[in-house]
């Protein structure tokens, strides 16, 4: 009777969940435009019109939306970003020279009256990197003096604009205004007191010490002018926000009119052409709420800061018509294609586009930031600036009379990066233009022509994915995965290699900026194994190529292919031999399991054999080395890393059977099983298993063991999983299970893997629910961090990373083990 009751319960659950749909109303940050690591714009506020929209790095990339109802203007999207005026330009704006010395000067060197006759003269910036240096600097100490004249001092808000590596002291007219121990990787803005300046001649003096590694100095002064608010603009009242897989949907009240603003990035994971199309939709839908008719105009403005790394860069913009579209276009004047690499870096080559169908008879104009909104409010939309900084691409559409029936219009926002990635010294175009014959205008035109069908496809996909997730793990789990979907995909770039293989290359966002990092691919993989293993192949192909062409000469897998967007070979300081080799073998086996054949493995059999043999030799009791949790430092005898090696060896045995190499199946399978028995004997502490083989007072999440269950390898007895889960439930904090006994921080992707080991829904939810609680209550308002404190929900590091694709592990388990 109990079995019948359970079957009825499951049937009812599936029946009702088949009609469910995502109702995710809150996120640490809200995805608006999400395509790749460079074209990725978010709202970091719960209220869309309360703050500027930003790139995932936190840099302002303002989008502004207005709705005019019977002459009254309501703000629905964003705020204007901060604008700075250079008083003393830095080198990213203008070349400048200074006096400097590398020998300790006499007292008073900070003062305007000091005699600097014996000092050298050099161009900024000072750097130990010859490629970026105005003046090469390799000594330990540097003293710099920069004189400048002012004809006024009544500035609104003054800031020292400074990037330095390492320790620094800054003086303005002899008064110390700043000091810092350490270094910065970007320009910081430090408030200054106007009283430190004077009319006439002034002196900015700096002493900097390079303590280790690279050296860098660039300094200037900027003013933040007062932004005059327009009293005629009313803040629309936001009633709700809802997120699904491909959309973020806001509902507003604009006086007597209700408005819905929908951001759609159609990242349909099974449709590579649409997935790679660099065009999002911003849709406005309006209807009267008072049974009357009202005249309605809508406005969308996009800052040209979307196309720059730094707001100091000059842009060129133009207005034109093409393929039944009205188009606005902007990009930097310099166009330094693929010249910048690193973590906290935005694209400053290629061009951004705002477009509308010609049939909408939109009014388009290009303006300064201060002119943009007043022009719409006053109906004087006739500016057409072609060059400058902080420009805005403005478009307004007159919807006309609106009653109880909703009327809809949309704007297209696109980006053509021309060349996306340098791959082993060859510049590659994006997937959508892999032939080199496609145009962005044609992509925009397709986006417009296919608007209704794309929206229907998105709606279908949103519902299917959500229902899959609910059926696999429940609503809370489904909501967690919805938050992860766009973030994970948009942390990659889709391309085709010169060998005509798919490439889907990740960026290690706010980690170290590496491209195609294997231990980022590993946690990201479940999403892609669930819905499109071709994309996972695109994450592995470059690593295989690196080894198989002899450019990577080690018997273990590489860590990465370079620093984004330059994929010419590993740039990470040291390898992770067991980690990355295990990752590559396991993921190749997972692809075979998902596809039902081992054709991909067969192509790379010799390489997989080399890596597996390395794991047989070095993987069981690993020497001190880094693993994917490298932020925790080196660790010897790492029990979880040992599990990875064991599972990988078992995976190789599974693959050998699938490709018909029966002579080696038993050898590797037995090796893995024997290792698993030894592992239990080495690591068992009674009620749980240790962090390392030699620490009897420790514990850790054994998330790598999830493959034993998901791939049905059965190397470890299920009692091992169950013992660990039972123990973990005693170690939970408010926002989740710590990574291990050393610290209280955690990694959310690993928690979802660990939770998948649970043998019942109650324990699964007990581990998952605190992670979702983190997404709802974290005080850190950035695209989801996967590394945070379990005690208070604060980000420790990392954000906007692809690894949240790992949340789909429970769904993968269900799909592979139906």
């Amino acid at each position: 009777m109990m079995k019948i009751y359970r079957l009825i319960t499951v049937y009812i659950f599936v029946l009702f969940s088949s009609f469910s749909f995502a109702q995710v109303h809150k996120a640490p940050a809200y995805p608006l435009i999400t395509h790749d690591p460079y074209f990725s714009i978010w709202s970091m506020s719960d209220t869309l019109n309360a703050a500027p929209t930003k790139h995932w790095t936190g840099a302002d990339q303002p989008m502004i939306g207005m709705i005019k109802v019977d002459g009254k203007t309501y703000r629905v999207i964003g705020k204007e970003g901060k604008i700075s005026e250079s008083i003393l330009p830095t080198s990213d704006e203008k070349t400048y020279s200074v006096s400097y010395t590398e020998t300790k000067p006499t007292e008073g060197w900070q003062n305007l009256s000091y005699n600097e006759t014996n000092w050298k003269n050099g161009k900024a910036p000072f750097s130990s990197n010859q490629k970026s240096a105005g003046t090469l600097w390799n000594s330990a100490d540097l003293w710099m003096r920069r004189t400048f004249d002012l004809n006024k001092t009544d500035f609104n808000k003054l800031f020292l604009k400074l990037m330095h590596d390492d320790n620094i002291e800054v003086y303005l007219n002899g008064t110390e205004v700043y000091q810092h121990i350490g270094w910065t990787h970007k320009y910081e803005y430090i408030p200054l007191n106007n009283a430190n300046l004077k009319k006439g001649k002034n002196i900015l003096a700096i002493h900097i010490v390079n303590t280790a590694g690279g050296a860098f100095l660039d300094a200037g002064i900027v003013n933040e002018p007062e932004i005059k608010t327009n009293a005629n603009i009313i803040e629309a009242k936001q009633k709700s926000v809802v997120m699904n897989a491909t959309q973020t949907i806001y509902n507003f009240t604009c006086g007597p009119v209700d408005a819905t603003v929908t951001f759609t990035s159609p990242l349909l994971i099974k449709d590579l052409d649409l997935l790679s199309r660099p065009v999002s939709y911003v849709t406005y839908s309006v209807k009267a709420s008072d049974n009357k008719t009202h005249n309605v105009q809508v406005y969308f403005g996009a800052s040209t800061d979307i196309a720059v790394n730094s707001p100091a860069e000059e842009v060129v913009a133009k207005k034109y018509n093409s393929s039944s579209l009205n188009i606005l276009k902007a990009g930097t004047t310099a166009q330094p294609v693929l010249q910048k690499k690193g973590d906290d870096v935005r694209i400053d080559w290629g061009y951004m586009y705002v477009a509308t169908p010609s049939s909408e008879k939109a009014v388009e104009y290009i303006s300064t930031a201060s002119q943009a909104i007043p022009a719409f409010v006053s109906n004087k939309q006739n500016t057409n600036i072609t060059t400058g900084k902080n420009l805005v691409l403005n478009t307004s559409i007159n919807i006309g009379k609106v009653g109880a029936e909703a009327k809809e219009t949309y704007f297209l926002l696109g980006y053509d990066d021309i060349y996306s990635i340098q791959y082993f010294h060859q510049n590659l175009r994006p997937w959508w233009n892999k032939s080199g014959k496609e145009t962005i205008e044609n992509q925009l035109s397709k986006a417009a022509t296919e608007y209704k069908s794309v929206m229907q496809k998105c709606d279908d996909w949103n519902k299917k994915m959500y229902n899959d997730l609910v059926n696999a793990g429940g609503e809370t789990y489904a909501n967690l995965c919805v938050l992860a979907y766009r973030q994970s995909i948009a942390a990659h770039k889709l391309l085709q290699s010169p060998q005509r293989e798919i490439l889907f290359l990740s960026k290690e966002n706010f980690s170290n900026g590496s491209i195609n990092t294997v231990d980022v691919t590993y946690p990201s993989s479940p999403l892609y194994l669930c819905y499109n293993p071709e994309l996972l192949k695109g994450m592995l192909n470059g690593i295989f190529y690196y080894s198989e062409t002899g450019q990577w000469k080690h018997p273990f897998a590489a860590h990465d292919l370079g620093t984004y967007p330059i994929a010419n070979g590993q740039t990470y300081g040291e390898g992770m031999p067991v980690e990355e080799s295990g990752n590559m073998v396991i993921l190749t086996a997972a692809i075979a399991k998902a596809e039902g054949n081992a054709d991909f493995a067969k192509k790379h059999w010799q390489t997989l054999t080399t890596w597996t043999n390395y794991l047989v030799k070095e993987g069981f009791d690993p020497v001190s080395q880094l693993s994917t949790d490298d932020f925790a430092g080196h660790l010897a005898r790492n029990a979880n890393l040992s599990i990875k090696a064991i599972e990988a060896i078992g995976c190789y045995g599974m693959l050998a059977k699938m490709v018909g190499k029966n002579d080696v199946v038993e050898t590797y399978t037995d090796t893995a099983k024997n290792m698993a028995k030894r592992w239990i004997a080495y690591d068992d502490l009674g009620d749980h298993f240790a962090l390392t083989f030699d620490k009897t007072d420790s514990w850790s999440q054994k998330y790598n063991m999830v493959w034993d269950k998901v791939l049905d390898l059965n190397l470890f007895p299920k009692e091992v999983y169950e013992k660990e889960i039972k123990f973990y439930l005693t170690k939970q904090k408010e926002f989740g299970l710590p990574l291990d006994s050393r610290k209280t921080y955690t990694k959310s992707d690993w928690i979802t893997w660990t939770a998948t080991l649970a043998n019942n829904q109650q324990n699964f939810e007990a581990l998952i629910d605190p992670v979702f609680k983190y997404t709802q209550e974290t005080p850190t308002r950035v695209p989801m961090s996967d590394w945070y404190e379990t005690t208070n929900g604060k980000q420790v590091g990392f954000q906007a990373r692809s690894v949240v694709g790992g949340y789909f592990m429970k769904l993968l388990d269900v799909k592979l083990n139906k």
Side-chain angles (χ1 to χ4, degrees), residues 208-238:
I208 185 168
V209 181
N210 180 32
T211 59
F216 190 88
L217 175 62
D218 192 16
I221 298 173
V222 300
N223 173 48
E224 184 183 301
E226 182 181 3
I227 298 177
K228 295 180 180 178
T229 57
N230 191 321
N232 295 320
I233 295 176
I234 305 165
E235 301 295 318
K237 182 180 178 181
Q238 183 177 307

Side-chain angles (χ1 to χ4, degrees), residues 538-571:
M539 300 182 215
L540 305 187
N541 280 331
I543 300 296
F544 278 121
Y545 177 80
Y546 193 19
S547 282
E548 291 166 358
T549 56
Q551 296 177 74
W552 178 255
K553 303 181 184 300
H554 302 281
F556 50 83
H559 170 271
D560 62 79
L561 291 185
T563 301
Y564 198 94
I566 308 301
N568 291 335
Q570 180 170 315
T571 53

Side-chain angles (χ1 to χ4, degrees), residues 673-731:
K673 286 180 177 180
N674 290 331
M675 279 185 171
K677 290 177 183 177
R678 289 169 59 205
W679 185 94
I680 294 169
Y682 273 50
D683 208 49
D684 195 348
L685 294 181
D687 64 343
H688 73 283
F689 295 88
L691 168 67
T692 63
F693 291 148
D694 56 356
K695 290 189 177 180
T696 58
D697 59 347
S698 66
W699 63 272
S700 65
Q701 291 189 48
K702 306 302 190 300
Y703 54 82
N704 286 320
M705 199 175 287
V706 74
W707 296 108
D708 203 56
K709 180 180 182 183
V710 171
L711 298 182
D712 198 28
L713 298 173
N714 296 313
L715 302 175
F716 290 87
K718 289 182 172 54
E719 291 78 16
V720 173
Y721 316 166
E722 292 165 4
K723 181 192 288 190
E724 282 290 272
I725 292 295
K726 183 178 180 181
F727 181 80
Y728 296 151
L729 292 174
T730 70
K731 297 297 180 181

Side-chain angles (χ1 to χ4, degrees), residues 429-440:
R429 297 182 185 275
W431 178 274
W432 63 266
N433 191 21
K434 56 184 181 287
S435 69
K437 299 176 182 178
E438 181 62 13
T439 66
I440 188 64

Side-chain angles (χ1 to χ4, degrees), residues 646-816:
I646 295 167
E647 297 294 343
I649 295 165
C651 283
Y652 183 83
M654 181 191 92
L655 288 169
K657 185 175 183 179
M658 293 180 75
V659 300
K661 295 186 179 293
N662 297 323
D663 54 326
V664 299
V665 173
E666 188 174 339
T667 300
Y668 285 93
T669 302
D670 286 351
T671 297
K673 286 180 177 180
N674 290 331
M675 279 185 171
K677 290 177 183 177
R678 289 169 59 205
W679 185 94
I680 294 169
Y682 273 50
D683 208 49
D684 195 348
L685 294 181
D687 64 343
H688 73 283
F689 295 88
L691 168 67
T692 63
F693 291 148
D694 56 356
K695 290 189 177 180
T696 58
D697 59 347
S698 66
W699 63 272
S700 65
Q701 291 189 48
K702 306 302 190 300
Y703 54 82
N704 286 320
M705 199 175 287
V706 74
W707 296 108
D708 203 56
K709 180 180 182 183
V710 171
L711 298 182
D712 198 28
L713 298 173
N714 296 313
L715 302 175
F716 290 87
K718 289 182 172 54
E719 291 78 16
V720 173
Y721 316 166
E722 292 165 4
K723 181 192 288 190
E724 282 290 272
I725 292 295
K726 183 178 180 181
F727 181 80
Y728 296 151
L729 292 174
T730 70
K731 297 297 180 181
Q732 291 243 82
K733 305 293 184 186
E734 182 178 2
F735 294 100
L737 177 67
L739 182 65
D740 59 48
S741 53
R742 291 174 291 177
K743 301 280 187 180
T744 55
Y745 59 55
T746 197
K747 289 281 275 82
S748 58
D749 45 346
W750 299 145
I751 292 178
T752 60
W753 289 32
T754 297
T756 302
L757 287 168
N759 64 3
N760 61 70
Q761 184 67 15
Q762 182 180 349
N763 287 346
F764 175 76
E765 289 179 355
L767 290 163
I768 288 295
D769 287 356
V771 179
F772 187 68
K773 179 181 172 70
Y774 151 71
T775 70
Q776 302 301 288
E777 299 181 18
T778 176
T780 312
R781 308 310 302 272
V782 298
M784 273 195 302
S785 169
D786 52 286
W787 180 23
Y788 66 88
E789 263 294 342
T790 59
T791 56
N792 55 26
K794 289 183 179 179
Q795 174 190 32
V796 176
F798 309 159
Q799 65 194 52
R801 300 207 311 165
S802 67
V803 302
V804 294
Y807 295 176
F808 286 73
M809 182 59 88
K810 176 67 172 178
L811 176 61
L812 180 64
D813 181 38
V814 170
K815 280 181 172 288
L816 295 186

